[in-house]
């Protein structure tokens, strides 16, 4: 019983030491950021990142072989140190998602503490080193003797180590380029996050850009400022031909809906010309005094003013701008070796070419379906395969440990 209490006190003390050490690492990183004016650490790229990574692995193996019996090395190889390292690293990753990152011109407290650029900050660097050291030395300690019981543990810890290792070192080799291209235009470059021109290993020509839209919505709005009153039932329903809906004191029927139309002096009429707009002819009845009136609404476009249906002195009916259901770019790609590829690039369906992944990102939203501009993002991440290997190892380790426990 006394030995159990002593063991519990020792374990609690080790956890306390771990979180004190993690706090010290975080504070040290913040101080280094402040001293350097929030410049961060920079992200090494090929081949420097590989050299740094190999040197780190050699140092870990050297420490394991010659200094594994030191109290400090034993402590960092235990669970309390690993838990504190994972907690600090996860906390910084969480801040990366919650706080604005890499905002141009940011010079406030977040900048000088590194929290506005967590990925390349001193706290993140020191946290990563702490986590990799703890996981690495723990895995090395459990690798001998290598038996069936240790396989799941090694797969989990080594896999997680590879994920953090490759994700950290590979950040400098990650290339993200935005390509703005007009129809019938050919480009061979894009712009990075710092608005610097980056040349690509292929030529890209936009043959056609197309958008499929949802129907616009019927909106009950304040006439004065065109805002939506709160708590209105049936507001912002998709407009359908023949639909009937009750909003506040009004019974509304869509008598006619035109996807593409133009307007003469009074009415809208179907048209397949350029720069057409959606429109709807409404019949509206006041449910109290039974008065009835008709009229058109339209959302307009970048060349045409919208049309509103005035209900009374305070409220009107309007049509919202249609939302894009899907959009895609038909592109031609000429690689350096003269290979010509024609592809329909769609949202969430990237194209892999010459080591780059091309994503359909956006378009000129002010022009909607008449946009002739396609915004494509090109991403190159040569370390992604290594990260996938780490993920596979973690999953395999979890399955193995589940199977081992079941048996």
């Amino acid at each position: 019983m006394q030995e159990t209490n002593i063991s519990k006190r020792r374990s609690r003390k080790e956890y306390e030491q771990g979180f004190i050490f993690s706090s010290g690492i975080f504070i040290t990183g913040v101080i280094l950021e402040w001293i350097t004016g929030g410049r961060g650490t920079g992200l090494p790229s090929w081949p420097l990142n590989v050299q740094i990574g190999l040197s780190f692995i050699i140092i870990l193996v050297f420490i394991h072989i010659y200094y594994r019996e030191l109290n400090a090395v034993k402590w960092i190889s235990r669970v309390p140190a690993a838990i504190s390292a994972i907690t600090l690293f996860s906390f910084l990753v969480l801040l990366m998602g919650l706080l604005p990152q890499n905002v141009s011109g940011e010079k406030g407290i977040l900048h000088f503490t590194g929290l506005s650029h967590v990925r390349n900050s001193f706290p993140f660097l020191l946290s990563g080193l702490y986590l990799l050291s703890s996981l690495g030395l723990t895995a090395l300690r459990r690798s001998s003797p290598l038996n069936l019981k240790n396989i799941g543990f090694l797969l989990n810890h080594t896999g997680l180590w590879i994920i953090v290792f490759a994700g950290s070192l590979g950040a400098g080799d990650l290339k993200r380029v935005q390509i703005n291209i007009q129809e019938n235009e050919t480009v061979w470059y894009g712009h990075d996050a710092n608005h610097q021109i980056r040349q690509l290993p292929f030529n890209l020509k936009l043959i056609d850009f197309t958008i499929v839209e949802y129907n616009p919505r019927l909106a009950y709005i304040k006439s004065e400022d065109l805002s939506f009153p709160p708590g209105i039932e049936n507001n912002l329903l998709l407009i359908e031909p023949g639909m009937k809906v009750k909003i506040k004191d009004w019974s509304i029927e869509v008598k006619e809906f035109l996807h593409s139309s133009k307007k003469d002096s009074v009415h809208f009429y179907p048209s397949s010309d350029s720069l057409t707009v959606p429109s709807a002819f409404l019949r509206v009845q006041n449910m109290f005094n039974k008065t009835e009136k008709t009229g058109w609404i339209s959302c307009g476009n970048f060349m045409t003013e919208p049309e509103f249906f005035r209900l009374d002195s305070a409220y009107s009916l309007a049509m919202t701008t249609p939302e894009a259901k899907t959009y895609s770019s038909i592109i031609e790609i000429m690689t350096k070796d003269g290979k010509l590829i024609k592809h329909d690039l769609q949202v969430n369906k990237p194209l892999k070419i010459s080591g780059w992944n091309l994503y359909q990102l956006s378009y000129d939203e002010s022009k909607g379906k008449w946009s002739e501009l396609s915004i494509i993002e090109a991403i190159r991440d040569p370390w992604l395969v290594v990260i996938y290997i780490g993920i596979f190892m973690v999953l395999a380790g979890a399955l193995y440990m589940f199977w081992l426990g079941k048996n």
Side-chain angles (χ1 to χ4, degrees):
M1 185 71 176
Q2 186 177 2
E3 291 180 359
T4 303
N5 291 333
I6 292 173
S7 177
K8 286 182 178 180
R9 286 197 297 270
R10 185 185 298 118
S11 177
R12 188 182 303 113
K13 184 178 180 181
E14 287 183 345
Y15 276 104
E16 291 173 355
Q17 290 172 342
F19 283 102
I20 291 172
F21 190 69
S22 294
S23 301
I25 285 178
F26 178 74
I27 294 171
T28 301
V30 169
I31 292 173
L32 289 173
E33 279 288 332
W34 196 276
I35 292 173
T36 58
R39 287 199 300 263
T41 60
L43 299 173
S45 57
W46 173 272
L48 180 59
N49 52 359
V50 176
Q51 296 169 355
I52 293 173
L54 290 176
S55 300
F56 182 73
I57 292 173
I58 292 171
I59 291 172
L60 283 185
V61 174
F62 180 82
I63 291 174
H64 171 70
I65 293 174
Y66 294 102
Y67 299 101
R68 59 185 299 175
E69 297 305 322
L70 285 179
N71 289 334
V73 177
K74 286 183 177 180
W75 177 82
I76 203 172
S77 304
R78 293 193 181 116
V79 171
I83 294 296
S84 65
I86 292 172
T87 301
L88 175 59
F89 192 82
S90 301
F91 172 69
L92 291 174
V93 172
L94 181 63
L95 289 181
M96 198 186 309
L98 294 176
L99 298 176
Q101 297 293 296
N102 301 309
V103 178
S104 180
E106 169 66 42
K107 291 297 179 182
I109 187 68
L110 294 181
H111 174 77
F112 289 106
T113 56
L115 300 184
S116 68
H117 49 276
V118 174
R119 186 70 178 272
N120 60 328
S121 68
F122 280 101
F124 193 75
L125 171 64
L126 297 179
S127 171
L129 289 174
Y130 179 34
L131 177 58
L132 290 172
S133 299
S134 178
L135 289 175
L137 291 172
T138 301
L140 288 170
R141 186 175 292 272
R142 289 290 291 270
S143 64
S144 177
L146 185 60
N147 52 44
L148 291 177
K149 289 184 177 180
N150 283 342
I151 290 177
F153 181 90
L154 288 174
L155 283 173
N156 274 326
H157 283 68
T158 307
L160 181 57
W161 189 91
I162 289 174
I163 293 170
V164 177
F165 180 79
S168 300
L169 287 182
D173 290 329
L174 175 64
K175 301 291 186 288
R176 191 184 297 270
V177 177
Q178 182 174 303
I179 307 167
N180 297 346
I181 182 171
Q182 299 280 347
E183 287 185 2
N184 299 315
E185 180 184 24
T186 300
V187 299
W188 56 93
Y189 60 88
H191 296 83
D192 61 18
N194 298 317
H195 307 290
Q196 299 294 316
I197 295 177
R198 300 298 178 190
Q199 190 167 343
L200 299 167
F202 48 80
N203 292 343
L204 192 66
K205 182 178 181 180
L206 179 61
I207 305 301
D208 188 35
F209 179 74
T210 57
I211 296 180
V212 177
E213 296 178 327
Y214 291 104
N215 285 358
R217 297 177 183 272
L218 180 65
Y220 181 84
I221 62 173
K222 294 180 180 180
S223 301
E224 181 181 8
D225 56 8
L226 307 184
S227 63
F228 301 118
I232 302 298
E233 292 185 4
N234 297 328
N235 204 4
L236 298 175
L237 296 177
L238 289 175
I239 296 175
E240 299 288 348
M243 72 176 284
K244 296 180 180 179
V245 62
K246 293 180 179 179
I247 302 179
K248 293 290 284 184
D249 301 335
W250 307 93
S251 176
I252 304 162
E253 181 182 4
V254 178
K255 300 294 292 181
E256 187 175 6
F257 174 64
L258 303 175
H259 285 279
S260 299
S261 62
K262 284 192 171 183
K263 185 185 178 185
D264 55 23
S265 57
V266 180
H267 300 92
F268 284 85
Y269 59 92
S271 175
S272 58
D273 294 342
S274 62
L275 302 180
T276 57
V277 296
S279 61
F281 184 69
L282 307 180
R283 182 171 67 185
V284 180
Q285 185 182 65
N286 187 296
M287 290 185 290
F288 289 97
N289 58 28
K290 303 302 180 182
T291 58
E292 183 177 295
K293 51 185 174 180
T294 59
W296 290 88
I297 57 172
S298 172
C299 60
N301 57 29
F302 66 100
M303 292 289 289
T304 307
E305 292 293 325
E307 291 276 338
F308 302 101
F309 188 108
R310 198 169 188 88
L311 296 171
D312 52 33
S313 60
Y315 297 100
S316 298
L317 294 175
M319 177 185 288
T320 65
T321 302
E323 302 168 13
K325 181 186 296 185
T326 182
Y327 46 92
S328 62
S329 299
I330 298 177
I331 55 176
E332 278 186 356
I333 303 170
M334 177 69 75
T335 62
K336 282 187 174 181
D337 57 6
K339 186 178 180 181
L340 183 64
I341 301 171
K342 189 173 183 179
H343 184 77
D344 185 5
L345 187 64
Q346 301 178 22
V347 177
N348 297 326
K349 294 182 179 179
L351 169 67
K352 189 174 183 63
I353 185 77
S354 300
W356 292 75
N357 286 320
L358 300 183
Y359 295 85
Q360 178 65 66
L361 185 63
S362 188
Y363 57 95
D364 186 350
E365 296 183 7
S366 66
K367 293 186 178 181
K369 67 179 180 180
W370 304 112
S371 173
E372 295 182 347
L373 170 70
S374 177
I375 302 177
I376 296 172
E377 186 174 50
I379 299 177
R380 183 177 184 273
D381 187 1
W383 290 76
L384 192 59
V385 174
V386 183
I387 294 175
Y388 284 152
I389 291 173
I391 293 173
F392 175 77
M393 291 177 66
V394 170
L395 293 175
L399 290 174
Y400 180 82
M401 293 177 75
F402 174 78
W403 174 82
L404 194 67
K406 186 177 179 181
N407 289 277

